[in-house]
Amino acid sequence: MGGKHKILPQLFTAFPENNDIFVDMFGGGFNVGINSDASKIIYNDQLTPLVDLFKYLQDNSCNDIINYIETTIEKNNIRKDEKEGFLKFRNQYNQTDEKFPLDLYILISFSFNYQFRFNNSGEYNNPHGTNRSSFTKNMKERLIQYINIIHEKDIIFLNKDFTILDYSILTEDSFVYCDPPYLITTGSYNDGNRGFKNWTIKEEKNLLDLLSKLDKRGIDFALSNVTIHDGRQNDLLLDWIEANEFTVLDINSDYSNSNYHKKNKDKEKNTEVLVINYSFK
């Protein structure tokens, strides 16, 4: 949801180079962090099943992973054109205490908009992407490439609240990227009913305070966020930017394929930005 793959060129043009450590604080689908050339990459996210999936991809062979996915899809008759096999497999996944990480990937592959969504009981509840979603040849090739990169790079996968990460290991050559839930948007991950903590003014303040502390230590950061959305304005964010004299870069994005995106004829009311604390040319 709200993946950053469409704006990666804009982001990496704005990011500083030659980092010793790259921290992807709210890693999500890992679109951003995995493309970093830093010596060490730290991925963090609060969604435990997703982090478990990345750890599994890191710790197992590509051939074994692909073989399991294809065999399981065929065995359970999970198809693009009908949802019976998908729903049966989803129910099986939710009823299993020790959930197998690759089963989540299979569910995502056949889910509406290729999304992952959980209810407050921790059950996967995204609907079937009938005649739209499946484990295609292109997805297979991309997954193989993804796994190979994870195996090649020095990546640490963490599942912690962002406030308790160990930032003491960061140096002035480190870089922190933040793509938190956006306080004034309506993303489904933002409502506190998906099995993880809601994002409120408290979390927003904690994040901004943390970034201020990193700035005082001379550590570069970039924060993705929105200043205006559907006529609402994030005054807390704007006041913080002004008080610290941080640089704001406008981001040209289009998340029209995301199911939580509200159709708005006045596109100018939605402003996505990248806030940085370093010089940008």
Side-chain angles (χ1 to χ4, degrees):
M1 298 180 289
K4 289 291 182 287
H5 63 280
K6 292 183 180 180
I7 61 171
L8 283 177
Q10 294 180 72
L11 293 178
F12 278 92
T13 297
F15 288 171
E17 299 177 344
N18 303 317
N19 309 127
D20 58 354
I21 301 175
F22 184 106
V23 179
D24 199 348
M25 192 185 296
F26 303 90
F30 203 25
N31 300 115
V32 179
I34 196 171
N35 286 286
S36 170
D37 290 328
S39 301
K40 181 185 293 292
I41 301 169
I42 298 176
Y43 166 101
N44 182 67
D45 199 88
Q46 63 178 335
L47 194 58
T48 303
L50 183 61
V51 179
D52 289 344
L53 172 58
F54 285 129
K55 287 181 177 179
Y56 190 91
L57 297 181
Q58 184 180 51
D59 295 339
N60 292 273
S61 76
C62 185
N63 287 338
D64 287 348
I65 291 169
I66 298 299
N67 180 63
Y68 177 85
I69 291 172
E70 293 181 331
T71 301
T72 302
I73 290 173
E74 181 178 0
K75 178 182 177 181
N76 291 274
N77 194 31
I78 306 173
R79 295 162 46 186
K80 175 181 180 179
D81 57 353
E82 61 89 15
K83 60 184 179 181
E84 182 178 350
F86 170 86
L87 293 178
K88 184 177 180 181
F89 188 72
R90 188 182 70 179
N91 185 58
Q92 175 183 310
Y93 174 83
N94 287 330
Q95 291 182 352
T96 303
D97 291 333
E98 295 293 330
K99 293 177 172 52
F100 190 56
L102 291 184
D103 290 344
L104 173 61
Y105 180 84
I106 293 171
L107 286 171
I108 294 171
S109 299
F110 287 84
S111 290
F112 177 71
N113 273 3
Y114 298 103
Q115 293 179 357
F116 50 90
R117 190 181 73 182
F118 296 84
N119 61 27
N120 217 33
S121 298
E123 296 177 329
Y124 186 86
N125 66 351
N126 208 48
H128 182 241
T130 308
N131 293 322
R132 296 183 63 181
S133 305
S134 65
F135 184 62
T136 63
K137 180 181 179 181
N138 182 52
M139 279 189 67
K140 177 180 177 180
E141 292 174 351
R142 289 172 60 189
L143 177 59
I144 291 172
Q145 182 182 21
Y146 203 83
I147 294 169
N148 289 337
I149 293 174
I150 288 178
H151 286 179
E152 292 169 0
K153 295 187 176 183
D154 184 2
I155 305 173
I156 298 174
F157 292 102
L158 300 176
N159 178 214
K160 297 182 178 181
D161 187 290
F162 72 92
T163 59
I164 61 172
L165 291 178
D166 183 8
Y167 298 101
S168 66
I169 65 172
L170 302 183
T171 72
E172 291 186 357
D173 293 322
S174 301
F175 179 67
V176 177
Y177 173 65
C178 306
D179 182 28
Y182 299 160
L183 186 64
I184 59 174
T185 71
T186 56
S188 61
Y189 49 70
N190 206 18
D191 61 9
N193 295 315
R194 309 292 161 178
F196 49 87
K197 188 169 63 174
N198 190 10
W199 190 266
T200 68
I201 291 178
K202 176 184 177 181
E203 283 71 34
E204 187 92 347
K205 287 182 177 179
N206 286 341
L207 175 59
L208 300 183
D209 288 344
L210 172 59
L211 294 178
S212 295
K213 292 177 181 178
L214 293 177
D215 178 61
K216 290 179 180 178
R217 289 177 54 194
I219 297 172
D220 292 343
F221 71 76
L223 167 66
S224 286
N225 216 303
V226 291
T227 53
I228 300 173
H229 182 81
D230 287 354
R232 299 179 63 196
Q233 184 169 282
N234 190 335
D235 292 322
L236 176 63
L237 175 63
L238 289 169
D239 290 345
W240 174 77
I241 292 170
E242 183 178 2
N244 291 278
E245 299 183 342
F246 293 140
T247 300
V248 179
L249 307 177
D250 288 334
I251 297 295
N252 299 317
S253 61
D254 179 12
Y255 299 143
S256 59
N257 194 43
S258 299
N259 67 341
Y260 62 88
H261 178 87
K262 182 178 179 181
K263 300 292 184 181
N264 190 335
K265 294 181 180 180
D266 190 355
K267 298 290 186 180
E268 294 181 354
K269 288 188 176 181
N270 299 330
T271 305
E272 180 167 2
V273 299
L274 188 71
V275 183
I276 61 175
N277 69 329
Y278 49 89
S279 299
F280 173 73
K281 298 180 180 180

